[in-house]
Amino acid sequence: MKALPPFDQWNRWRPGLLLLAFLSGVIAAIGHPPVSFPLATVIGMAVAVRLSADSGSWKRAAWLGYAFGAGYFLVVMHWLVEPFLVFPLRHGWLAPPALLAMAGGLAIFWSAAFGAAFAIGFGRWTRHVALAVTLTLSEALREVAFTGFPWGLPGYAWSATPVAGLAAHVGPLGLTFLTVLAAVVLLGGRRLWTGGLAALAGIAFAWMAGLALMQEADIEAGDRPVVRLVQPNVDQSLKWHPDHVQRFHDRLLQLTAGTSEFPPDVVVWPETAATFLLEDGDPRLSEIASAAGGATTVLGIRRIAGNKVHNSMVSIGPSGTVEQNYDKRKLVPFGEYVPFGDFLAGHGWSGLASNETGAFSPGTVSQVIDLPPIGRIIAIICYEAIFWSELRSLERPEAMIQITNDGWFGTFSGPQQHFEQARMRAIELGTPLIRVANTGVSAVIDGKGNVLGSIALGSEGYLDVELPPPLPPTLFARVGHAPLLGLAMVIMGFICWRRMAIRR
């Protein structure tokens, strides 16, 4: 098989190369739900890696990285149009520019990574390996920059496969680093067939290692609490409509009071499942407690404190009193609040998820709360589940509870991606996750990432699942990404040292 030609032989077709990089990004995105074909991520990434290494300059590499990232994020983030279509006459016109702005903005991180890798490296292989480092670091930056939005990491393409089990040791950034390395091996050499065999061998090894890690742990469980997941499947466009509010509330009560062989110890409702304010709860809180039949009920509700409105998770005891409260800390920009909101609120804009109470304010109370009979839990509301560093830094709990309203995100890809990314948190920390969504997917996931029971997307119902115990702390839970960052420093230091040595 002939060697692959370098970039300078294709120089006359430079615009065509940008299109090829864009299409490579589209292919790489196919690794994520709803298609979930991770080999496509490796193949698309491999083409982009090869193009950038042979681009001839860091500026060309940066442009190719931008085109690749734009194609990738345009597909991965296409569910972003769904929230604007809940009320299409009011917000529908914003859907296309919002998607283009998001894809274009996230692509800047990858553009910087591609340009930096070319500038640091001095040959094809050093630029390839440097890109594995710089792209991983750019994904780390996405977790914190501009309030953070680390959605759709390349490593998440493996979330529905046994390879995800490696996250217990290397974390989400480690999976991303290994994904780029697989792409480097695939097209990094001069012969396609040797690179292909080597990449497949590496993936097969990771698959088997992950499969071994995700086997159910042999832990003495003892008597464990039974958790009831309540998924009402409420149409988001009707959720707050005065003619339907009571009907949806009655549905939640009926599901909560459903019969079962073993009565639940904890009942969990989704985010903002209660359409009334917490301060206006009586006698409805007592009504909820009565339907729960003595179980503790966890539910999402709006709460007012002073002049601030919070998106909250509260626990209701058997007597109908509020026992614990957590206010969401990570709010969704342009959804739950709007940057420069004081100015824009005067023009009638307070965020897609806001209503007559106005935009939400971030909470300040601890994310770790007591929830008998489970014990200490990490409370997670909606997309707070995608911030791996913040969850790892918290006190180690007995379980995590995520409540979310994925009814905003349609049914095609957004809820599936959100579910898989939340599942990764259970694997990384070795901590079981209770996840309840308005329209799905609701599930209980053990510390190995195994789904013990779930309610399908777009279904109405309840499910009782015995909560598994937490596992011993994983390597990632103990040290985070420190080993990966150390490896990155060693790789970059070696490349720089070799470059200086060659120049001398």
Side-chain angles (χ1 to χ4, degrees):
M1 183 177 292
K2 294 182 178 179
L4 297 172
F7 176 92
D8 53 13
Q9 294 183 18
W10 302 342
N11 203 28
R12 68 186 69 179
W13 300 318
R14 194 179 308 162
L17 290 179
L18 289 175
L19 177 60
L20 179 57
F22 178 86
L23 294 176
S24 298
V26 171
I27 293 172
I30 295 175
H32 297 276
V35 179
S36 300
F37 184 61
L39 288 181
T41 301
V42 175
I43 294 169
M45 184 77 69
V47 174
V49 169
R50 183 59 182 264
L51 288 175
S52 67
D54 291 343
S55 60
S57 73
W58 70 266
K59 291 182 179 179
R60 289 181 181 176
W63 276 110
L64 288 166
Y66 186 84
F68 174 66
Y72 177 88
F73 288 113
L74 194 66
V75 175
V76 169
M77 298 298 303
H78 76 271
W79 57 265
L80 191 63
V81 304
E82 297 284 355
F84 297 93
L85 300 181
V86 171
F87 301 105
L89 296 181
R90 187 190 313 170
H91 301 132
W93 65 275
L94 286 168
L99 177 58
L100 292 174
M102 177 63 78
L106 295 179
I108 294 175
F109 290 90
W110 286 19
S111 176
F114 276 68
F118 188 95
I120 293 169
F122 55 86
R124 178 181 295 167
W125 270 102
T126 58
R127 287 169 182 153
H128 284 169
V129 176
L131 181 57
V133 173
T134 58
L135 190 60
T136 300
L137 293 178
S138 76
E139 293 298 80
L141 184 61
R142 278 211 290 133
E143 191 192 19
V144 296
F146 308 109
T147 75
F149 191 69
W151 190 287
L153 275 67
Y156 287 150
W158 305 100
S159 61
T161 74
V163 177
L166 297 179
H169 292 286
V170 302
L173 295 179
L175 285 182
T176 295
F177 179 75
L178 294 175
T179 302
V180 183
L181 282 185
V184 166
V185 172
L186 179 59
L187 284 185
R190 297 182 61 84
R191 303 293 177 183
L192 181 59
W193 71 271
T194 55
L197 287 177
L200 287 175
I203 292 171
F205 177 80
W207 191 286
M208 297 302 296
L211 193 63
L213 289 171
M214 291 182 71
Q215 295 298 314
E216 293 187 10
D218 185 16
I219 293 181
E220 186 65 33
D223 292 332
R224 299 297 301 168
V226 175
V227 178
R228 171 163 296 182
L229 317 179
V230 174
Q231 183 170 301
N233 195 35
V234 172
D235 186 334
Q236 188 61 39
S237 64
L238 301 176
K239 178 181 175 68
W240 304 97
H241 195 287
D243 295 340
H244 298 276
V245 165
Q246 187 60 46
R247 177 167 64 91
F248 294 145
H249 183 70
D250 291 341
R251 181 186 299 177
L252 284 161
L253 293 177
Q254 291 168 5
L255 295 172
T256 299
T259 58
S260 63
E261 182 179 359
F262 301 101
D265 300 293
V266 178
V267 177
V268 185
W269 288 13
E271 177 188 15
T272 60
T275 51
F276 53 89
L277 293 171
L278 181 61
E279 291 69 25
D280 301 332
D282 292 332
R284 280 173 284 192
L285 294 181
S286 297
E287 189 180 35
I288 294 171
S290 176
T296 298
T297 304
V298 176
L299 56 88
I301 193 170
R302 294 163 299 149
R303 187 180 75 89
I304 295 180
N307 61 348
K308 296 181 178 180
V309 184
H310 297 290
N311 183 356
S312 303
M313 175 194 296
V314 300
S315 64
I316 308 298
S319 64
T321 58
V322 176
E323 296 183 339
Q324 293 289 331
N325 171 72
Y326 166 69
D327 301 323
K328 186 177 180 182
R329 300 167 68 107
K330 279 282 188 180
L331 300 178
V332 180
F334 301 101
E336 294 172 312
Y337 82 101
V338 178
F340 311 107
D342 292 340
F343 170 77
L344 293 175
H347 294 77
W349 185 270
S350 59
L352 294 174
S354 304
N355 46 50
E356 69 276 4
T357 56
F360 291 112
S361 297
T364 57
V365 298
S366 174
Q367 207 164 343
V368 182
I369 62 177
D370 287 310
L371 185 69
I374 295 176
R376 302 283 279 174
I377 64 134
I378 292 179
I380 304 170
I381 301 179
C382 192
Y383 94 138
E384 288 180 322
I386 69 175
F387 294 91
W388 61 82
S389 294
E390 295 198 13
L391 297 181
R392 193 194 71 82
S393 65
L394 296 170
E395 170 191 333
R396 185 164 179 81
E398 291 293 311
M400 299 180 286
I401 295 182
Q402 181 199 17
I403 58 173
T404 184
N405 182 12
D406 288 357
W408 284 102
F409 306 144
T411 59
F412 187 65
S413 66
Q416 296 95 322
Q417 291 180 18
H418 197 191
F419 171 76
E420 293 295 349
Q421 293 178 53
R423 179 171 169 261
M424 293 292 290
R425 304 292 86 85
I427 297 172
E428 293 158 8
L429 300 180
T431 304
L433 171 67
I434 303 164
R435 185 179 197 271
V436 178
N438 171 24
T439 56
V441 178
S442 301
V444 172
I445 302 165
D446 70 11
K448 293 289 186 179
N450 301 299
V451 178
L452 304 183
S454 66
I455 306 175
L457 181 64
S459 300
E460 171 191 332
Y462 67 90
L463 179 67
D464 295 337
V465 182
E466 187 178 56
L467 182 69
L471 302 177
T474 63
L475 178 63
F476 179 78
R478 294 195 301 269
V479 300
H481 285 116
L484 178 65
L485 295 177
L487 177 62
M489 292 177 62
V490 170
I491 291 173
M492 299 304 277
F494 178 77
I495 291 175
C496 292
W497 173 76
R498 285 295 301 159
R499 184 168 188 160
M500 290 188 294
I502 291 173
R503 285 181 175 178
R504 287 199 298 267

